[in-house]
Amino acid sequence: MRVPAAWLLGLLVAAGCGRSDAVIVGSKNFTESVILGELVAQQLERYGIPVVRKLNLGGTLVCHRAIVAGQLDVYVEYTGTAYAAILELPPERDAARVRQAVDSIYRARWDLIWTEPLGFENTFAILIRRKDAERLGIRTISDAVRYAPSWRPVFGYEFMERADGYRGLVETYGLKFARAPSTMDLGLTYRALAEGIADIISGNSTDGQIEALNLFALEDDRNYFPPYEAAPVIRAAVLERYPAAREALRQLGGKLDEATMRRLNYQVDVARRTVPEVVREFLDQLPR
Amino acid sequence: MKEAVIEFKDACYGIDGREILGPVSLEVNRGETLVLLGKSGSGKTTALRLINGLLLPTAGEVAVEGVSTKQWDLVRLRRSIGYMIQEIGLFPHMSVGRNVGLVPRLEGWPKPRVRERVRELLELVGLPPGEFEDRMPAELSGGQRQRVGVARALAADPPILLCDEPFGALDPLTRSELQQEFKSLSRRLGKTVVFVTHDVKEAVFLASRIALLDAGRLHFLGTVDEFLASGDSRVAALRDLA
Amino acid sequence: MSFFEYLARNQGEVAARTLEHLWLVFASLSLAIAIGIPLGIVLTRKPAMRGPVLGFANVVQTIPSLALFGFLIPLPFIGGIGARTAIVALVLYGLLPIIRNTYTGISSVDASIREAAKGMGMTDAQLLFMVELRLAAPVILAGIRIAAVLAVGIATIAAAIGGGGLGEFIFRGVAMVNHAVILAGAVPAALLALLADGGLHLLERSLDWRR
């Protein structure tokens, strides 16, 4: 008899996919993305839409492949990341044009819809220790150029590889460092900077660690970094199946400014509160 | 002329306050074969291990060549005593030749002399060196392994041999064959032998004298004739079993 | 660009990263052996230390590598960023199988063999080197083989702390959303793991005294 095997298989499928009609919400594997995934999930639930969470997946690559393959229904992506890293288009400074481009290409190529931007931009932030910034009296990346030759730079892989990352930065500002940058995991670069093993790193502008570790984000005074607006990407088929989802996501549009996002990140990363709790609190205080 | 090579002087051994042996007093004379006879748990193996210092007496003393085992450099003491236990005591990762030549090698004999000695000993225990020298213990029969054990114990020509039921695991035919060869060999070479067994027949066959141990105590010590004639009830009971 | 094209165009760097990777594995494995085997031997002599030492090695195994790097960054001498820190982490991961197998290998040597060795007048050192270690060699080597394969795999994470190696391609490929680049790191790493496993397996069999 094959019944037990079939039953087991059914169980596995159920465990793997959850309810077949539920919307599968994903996120990348860093705090902000997980918070945004949870935000989308809770918002959909508030509109009575069944949801399965697949948060904390790999990076951009994993989420993108999953949603294109239909194994994910929605996740929050950054327009600039989609533009530069996924579509591999040349750098573009205008936020509106970036958003327009990714929206039309995503729709045409994969039947994916970008809904309203959440309201904040997460861009690369060039970080140094706050006490160095104060001691040297510097505020912008241009101010830092004369001190950079004695600094040890440490950058994440994404920053080193992207067209809108390291290479363009040193060219735009004429930066020179004490040695070639070490490349390592983004999360560890914060630690290395705080511990005095690195002197300059690139982080995310909304990261809670900036405050927690007493770091200072140098102003991008030449507007080198393109704006990265965060917005949910959802499969068109899901919007057809759940028309309410359209409204649910529209309601989130423009509700999260940069300060709010940094505060939410801080709540999770530094104050050690749980993501669902922080998100629930945030949604509760939104006007309905 | 009797000369005591090994002396037990009120020797006791216990662990965690539990007496396993003693007090026992006896002497082993040069050239004789003393059999320690007893059931399992009688303390006979413990007594044997007190001689080569694998155990040290917790009270009293055991002296070898007039020196207490507590004073002996134990490595030196053990190299002057041949030691045979049941077949498994052969090193499974060494060939027959290397097993036999081990103590001479430890003693730093030059290589050609070790090799010569190994061949001589294999010859002596009835294993043609050409055929057996390079075999591994796993390739031998039980009887052959025990012969290697005898050869290994004799390798550095020690004046004393300690044997702990060396023939216990063999079939009866092989056992009696080996007993005979062992007896003539040890007499011929003039070794002082202490032999542990629970087999009365083996004891009677091999011994010059028999020491009967029971529950850690020495109950009888005498020649084979005295053993056979003894009126002691324990001795008689054992004798009847044989 | 396909994997093979990428490989062909970047032969030089793939070779250099492979060498870096080998160095990470070789250095960390050597240290893990130099520390793990003596520790394993000590455990057979001092039973009281068994719990704490094996417990520590066990716990280390369960720490995610990024977290371990995080702990190591602020430490003087062994910490910081770069290959040295990665090697320290790799040594810590490699210790458990080596210590455990050394301990198990030696303690499973038959008691009567140990007794015979002592009875024949072997010193403690002779007993250890001529008998116990020799008989335990296949088991110890199996532990080293596990540690080696583990090290080849975990060494890809060295790139997370600026330690170089084939992980560079993997991290870079993930950042660039580019399969070909990921494979340029993953395929050579997998081949190295197979080579290490096969090579050490042969050595293990040649040292096996059972046959």
Side-chain angles (χ1 to χ4, degrees):
Chain A
M1 273 299 280
R2 310 292 283 196
V3 169
W7 183 80
L8 195 66
L9 188 68
L11 195 72
L12 285 174
V13 169
C17 309
R19 294 167 52 186
S20 59
D21 57 341
V23 175
I24 305 167
V25 182
S27 88
K28 302 186 199 177
N29 56 355
F30 56 95
T31 306
E32 180 170 299
S33 190
V34 175
I35 291 175
L36 295 175
E38 178 66 25
L39 177 72
V40 168
Q42 285 194 19
Q43 177 74 351
L44 292 176
E45 280 171 340
R46 283 175 190 228
Y47 278 76
I49 299 167
V51 156
V52 170
R53 291 168 175 77
K54 287 201 179 169
L55 307 182
N56 241 323
L57 299 172
T60 305
L61 172 78
V62 175
C63 287
H64 179 67
R65 303 235 170 211
I67 199 168
V68 166
Q71 287 166 345
L72 215 70
D73 291 324
V74 55
Y75 81 101
V76 176
E77 184 54 280
Y78 304 91
T79 54
T81 302
Y83 189 86
I86 298 175
L87 301 177
E88 295 178 323
L89 297 171
E92 167 61 62
R93 307 249 179 279
D94 187 280
R97 240 187 274 168
V98 168
R99 189 165 70 234
Q100 234 164 33
V102 296
D103 187 42
S104 62
I105 297 176
Y106 264 56
R107 195 184 296 261
R109 209 179 280 177
W110 298 303
D111 244 352
L112 295 174
I113 312 294
W114 286 79
T115 64
E116 282 72 10
L118 297 172
F120 72 92
E121 289 176 0
N122 182 353
T123 180
F124 284 122
I126 299 303
L127 304 173
I128 60 176
R129 282 176 292 273
R130 180 171 292 280
K131 67 175 190 325
D132 288 349
E134 281 163 5
R135 183 169 49 85
L136 303 170
I138 55 181
R139 208 175 49 74
T140 66
I141 301 179
S142 296
D143 292 345
V145 172
R146 42 183 291 239
Y147 301 103
S150 65
W151 286 350
R152 295 158 299 170
V154 171
F155 296 121
Y157 281 89
E158 186 154 355
F159 187 72
M160 290 303 290
E161 294 305 324
R162 284 170 67 145
D164 52 358
Y166 174 75
R167 268 162 297 182
L169 176 77
V170 291
E171 243 168 66
T172 307
Y173 285 94
L175 276 168
K176 284 194 177 56
F177 295 114
R179 52 168 171 73
S182 302
T183 326
M184 53 192 264
D185 177 75
L186 178 64
L188 293 176
T189 61
Y190 286 96
R191 203 63 206 275
L193 178 61
E195 298 289 346
I197 290 159
D199 300 308
I200 182 166
I201 68 170
S202 76
N204 294 322
S205 61
T206 52
D207 212 312
Q209 301 279 2
I210 297 175
E211 212 166 313
L213 295 175
N214 226 346
L215 308 180
F216 183 82
L218 294 171
E219 189 193 318
D220 178 18
D221 51 326
R222 293 198 183 169
N223 289 316
Y224 164 67
F225 292 117
Y228 292 177
E229 295 177 301
V233 180
I234 189 163
R235 299 202 305 124
V238 176
L239 290 180
E240 277 162 34
R241 184 151 32 104
Y242 294 107
R246 189 79 206 77
E247 182 53 26
L249 295 179
R250 196 200 315 279
Q251 283 300 323
L252 290 177
K255 292 298 191 319
L256 264 170
D257 60 15
E258 207 165 310
T260 310
M261 191 65 239
R262 205 176 292 170
R263 186 170 53 77
L264 298 186
N265 284 332
Y266 183 89
Q267 290 290 321
V268 173
D269 270 344
V270 185
R272 305 265 174 239
R273 300 183 56 203
T274 69
V275 172
E277 183 188 18
V278 169
V279 168
R280 193 172 314 119
E281 215 173 82
F282 169 76
L283 282 175
D284 282 344
Q285 50 83 44
L286 281 186
R288 292 292 292 268
Chain B
M1 188 192 77
K2 285 182 182 173
E3 180 200 350
V5 181
I6 301 164
E7 297 156 90
F8 281 68
K9 297 172 193 165
D10 293 321
C12 301
Y13 183 79
I15 1 174
D16 305 329
R18 200 165 49 85
E19 279 290 286
I20 293 172
L21 182 76
V24 166
S25 294
L26 60 78
E27 295 180 353
V28 185
N29 299 315
R30 191 169 303 286
E32 79 166 331
T33 298
L34 179 81
V35 171
L36 296 171
L37 179 63
K39 296 179 292 204
S40 63
S42 61
K44 57 191 193 301
T45 295
T46 303
L48 194 74
R49 303 174 90 203
L50 285 171
I51 299 172
N52 65 358
L54 284 174
L55 300 174
L56 292 172
T58 43
E61 72 168 20
V62 176
V64 177
E65 306 282 5
V67 178
S68 162
T69 50
K70 287 178 182 165
Q71 256 82 61
W72 267 96
D73 167 357
L74 289 177
V75 169
R76 290 245 54 78
L77 172 67
R78 289 169 190 162
R79 288 197 190 158
S80 66
I81 298 177
Y83 189 49
M84 283 165 63
I85 58 180
Q86 285 200 4
E87 52 169 317
I88 195 115
L90 290 187
F91 300 119
H93 60 297
M94 295 182 188
S95 67
V96 166
R98 292 185 67 79
N99 261 290
V100 173
L102 186 71
V103 177
R105 278 208 310 282
L106 293 180
E107 290 283 270
W109 292 19
K111 262 189 189 157
R113 201 175 138 216
V114 173
R115 195 175 146 77
E116 195 185 317
R117 178 71 179 156
V118 166
R119 300 182 72 95
E120 180 188 324
L121 282 162
L122 287 176
E123 210 69 80
L124 193 69
V125 298
L127 299 171
E131 189 182 340
F132 286 95
E133 199 176 357
D134 295 325
R135 292 224 199 148
M136 299 303 278
E139 300 168 309
L140 304 179
S141 72
Q144 288 166 339
R145 251 176 275 180
Q146 211 46 66
R147 286 171 191 269
V148 176
V150 174
R152 186 174 72 172
L154 292 171
D157 201 14
I160 302 170
L161 283 180
L162 304 181
C163 310
D164 192 355
E165 309 219 26
F167 309 135
L170 302 177
D171 64 88
L173 219 63
T174 318
R175 189 188 310 159
S176 71
E177 194 183 312
L178 270 165
Q179 283 167 350
Q180 283 183 21
E181 288 183 38
F182 180 77
K183 184 175 176 178
S184 66
L185 200 61
S186 58
R187 295 275 152 88
R188 181 149 54 91
L189 299 174
K191 302 294 180 194
T192 306
V193 178
V194 181
F195 196 106
V196 162
T197 186
H198 64 273
D199 179 343
V200 180
K201 271 192 201 156
E202 186 171 63
V204 170
F205 178 73
L206 291 175
S208 340
R209 288 194 300 153
I210 293 176
L212 178 63
L213 287 168
D214 188 45
R217 298 301 168 102
L218 182 62
H219 277 282
F220 171 88
L221 178 62
T223 63
V224 176
D225 291 340
E226 285 164 350
F227 178 82
L228 292 174
S230 170
D232 185 291
S233 60
R234 281 197 186 79
V235 175
L238 267 173
R239 226 164 35 207
D240 294 344
L241 278 177
Chain C
M1 184 166 35
S2 81
F3 164 55
F4 292 105
E5 268 176 71
Y6 184 86
L7 214 55
R9 253 186 254 173
N10 295 275
Q11 289 170 1
E13 198 193 347
V14 173
R17 295 294 181 198
T18 305
L19 280 181
E20 270 176 14
H21 204 85
L22 278 174
W23 163 245
L24 288 171
V25 171
F26 175 79
S28 60
L29 195 63
S30 309
L31 282 168
I33 291 171
I35 298 168
I37 292 185
L39 255 177
I41 293 168
V42 168
L43 295 194
T44 63
R45 306 314 199 234
K46 303 251 182 293
M49 287 177 63
R50 207 173 308 156
V53 170
L54 287 177
F56 170 77
N58 252 317
V59 166
V60 168
Q61 286 264 313
T62 65
I63 303 176
S65 40
L66 278 184
L68 187 57
F69 288 150
F71 289 134
L72 290 175
I73 283 178
L75 298 185
F77 306 117
I78 58 167
I81 58 178
R84 193 184 45 195
T85 310
I87 288 171
V88 171
L90 287 174
V91 168
L92 289 173
Y93 284 123
L95 279 178
L96 179 66
I98 296 178
I99 296 177
R100 198 184 43 203
N101 281 38
T102 303
Y103 169 74
T104 312
I106 290 179
S107 33
S108 58
V109 170
D110 199 288
S112 64
I113 289 179
R114 205 171 278 133
E115 158 126 8
K118 274 186 168 172
M120 292 171 69
M122 283 196 181
T123 61
D124 285 345
Q126 285 164 341
L127 171 65
L128 178 65
F129 288 105
M130 294 176 67
V131 179
E132 290 179 314
L133 281 179
R134 188 60 194 74
L135 288 176
V139 182
I140 296 175
L141 220 70
I144 291 175
R145 181 163 55 91
I146 295 167
V149 173
L150 210 67
V152 172
I154 299 181
T156 55
I157 316 276
I161 196 156
L166 289 164
E168 287 275 338
F169 291 111
I170 298 177
F171 278 82
R172 208 185 292 163
V174 169
M176 292 161 71
V177 198
N178 187 330
H179 266 174
V181 182
I182 296 177
L183 289 176
V187 170
L191 289 177
L192 284 185
L194 286 174
L195 269 176
D197 189 53
L200 286 169
H201 203 88
L202 282 181
L203 186 61
E204 210 176 302
R205 291 219 335 235
S206 75
L207 279 179
D208 200 342
W209 44 270
R210 295 165 297 224
R211 61 182 55 216

